Amino acid sequence: SIRSFYEAGDWGTLADPTDPRDHAAAIGHLLDHADESDRKGRRGRLLVEERFNWSAESDRLLNFYQRVW
């Protein structure tokens, strides 16, 4: 689920996908809290560099392809 992906590093802000006001509130919160926004951005970049990249995910993806082929 997206929540477990998000909780892997507290790298972003969740918003109800069906509620534009919730999106606006989340964006407003990040704009009003620049330190938090910067911290989350740095965490997100680090997660991509270390965990969510081709080197880390390629075996899982290739194994998935083999199972469904």
Side-chain angles (χ1 to χ4, degrees), residues 4-68:
S4 62
F5 179 72
Y6 168 78
E7 290 170 351
D10 187 28
W11 51 267
T13 300
L14 296 178
D16 180 343
T18 65
D19 185 354
R21 287 186 178 111
D22 199 33
H23 282 251
I27 292 167
H29 177 84
L30 291 173
L31 291 172
D32 291 341
H33 298 88
D35 290 344
E36 177 184 346
S37 180
D38 184 56
R39 190 171 56 251
K40 287 180 182 231
R42 290 175 191 271
R43 284 186 195 139
R45 181 179 178 116
L46 187 61
L47 279 170
V48 169
E49 289 173 349
E50 293 181 353
R51 183 171 172 192
F52 301 114
N53 59 63
W54 179 248
S55 299
E57 297 292 324
S58 62
D59 287 339
R60 289 181 58 206
L61 181 61
L62 294 174
N63 287 334
F64 171 75
Y65 287 158
Q66 289 176 352
R67 285 195 322 265
V68 298

